[in-house]
Amino acid sequence: MKRGGPIPRRTPLVSVTPLRKQSKSRTSREKRRDETKARLLVRMRCFNNNGGLCEICGQREAADPAHRLATGRNGGWHSSNLIAACRPCHDQQRDGKGGEQLATMLGQVLPSRVNGEQPVPACVPVQLVYGRVYLDDAGGFTEAIT
């Protein structure tokens, strides 16, 4: 059964402008999402190195990734720049009561400049539970020969 004619439109038709060409550069939201994923992967790799225990004392569960070169000093989220640390060890590294000096001597904290240049965490050995080692960006380490 055929009904009446076409239904009248309540709104007038508007000419549609063609969509803008999508730029090939990523949006800031996509960049943040990718950066968050990368941080999560590095965190997981960092915590899995020592079975989830602190890499400094080896006794307590690791709670935080401790940056050897602080993010405020241009330290990034790279495996060679992170140590899985429990809260007391992490706080002791930055306490300002001599703990930072000891952590710097052990390579657990890096100074912002050495002879006018920024240190590269992968090139500076660090004293951890498994001995004096060089951390790499793949999440592993090699023994530092002294």
Side-chain angles (χ1 to χ4, degrees), residues 39 42-47 49 53-57 61-72 75-95 103 107-110 121 126-128 130 135:
R39 285 183 181 182
V42 170
R43 264 182 97 125
M44 287 172 37
R45 196 179 306 149
C46 177
F47 288 127
N49 276 349
L53 293 177
C54 175
E55 291 181 296
I56 298 171
C57 68
E61 185 177 339
D64 297 316
H67 286 81
R68 296 173 65 198
L69 183 60
T71 53
W77 283 81
H78 309 287
S79 293
S80 62
N81 191 38
L82 295 175
I83 300 172
C86 62
R87 175 54 58 186
C89 289
H90 189 244
D91 290 343
Q92 184 182 8
Q93 286 184 336
R94 309 268 184 212
D95 67 359
Q108 297 165 354
V109 173
L110 299 177
V126 59
Q127 181 71 38
L128 297 175
Y130 8 86
L135 300 177

Side-chain angles (χ1 to χ4, degrees), residues 3-11 13:
R3 294 193 177 187
I7 300 172
R9 293 191 61 85
R10 292 187 182 172
T11 57
L13 288 174

Side-chain angles (χ1 to χ4, degrees):
M1 180 185 238
K2 203 171 188 184
R3 294 193 177 187
I7 300 172
R9 293 191 61 85
R10 292 187 182 172
T11 57
L13 288 174
V14 179
S15 65
V16 178
T17 58
L19 293 174
R20 276 191 274 167
K21 230 182 189 183
Q22 292 290 331
S23 65
K24 291 186 180 182
S25 65
R26 298 181 312 160
T27 64
S28 60
R29 174 183 251 171
E30 290 172 325
K31 289 178 185 176
R32 278 196 311 270
R33 184 177 54 225
D34 290 346
E35 186 176 303
T36 302
K37 284 181 186 177
R39 285 183 181 182
L40 182 62
L41 288 173
V42 170
R43 264 182 97 125
M44 287 172 37
R45 196 179 306 149
C46 177
F47 288 127
N48 289 336
N49 276 349
N50 199 25
L53 293 177
C54 175
E55 291 181 296
I56 298 171
C57 68
Q59 298 174 358
R60 291 179 287 274
E61 185 177 339
D64 297 316
H67 286 81
R68 296 173 65 198
L69 183 60
T71 53
R73 298 176 180 168
N74 294 328
W77 283 81
H78 309 287
S79 293
S80 62
N81 191 38
L82 295 175
I83 300 172
C86 62
R87 175 54 58 186
C89 289
H90 189 244
D91 290 343
Q92 184 182 8
Q93 286 184 336
R94 309 268 184 212
D95 67 359
K97 299 176 184 170
E100 189 166 357
Q101 290 175 347
L102 177 62
T104 301
M105 286 177 25
L106 297 175
Q108 297 165 354
V109 173
L110 299 177
S112 57
R113 297 275 175 210
V114 176
N115 297 329
E117 294 185 18
Q118 184 175 352
V120 178
C123 299
V124 179
V126 59
Q127 181 71 38
L128 297 175
V129 173
Y130 8 86
R132 194 152 182 84
V133 295
Y134 289 100
L135 300 177
D136 61 27
D137 285 334
F141 59 87
T142 55
E143 187 177 346
I145 301 170
T146 54

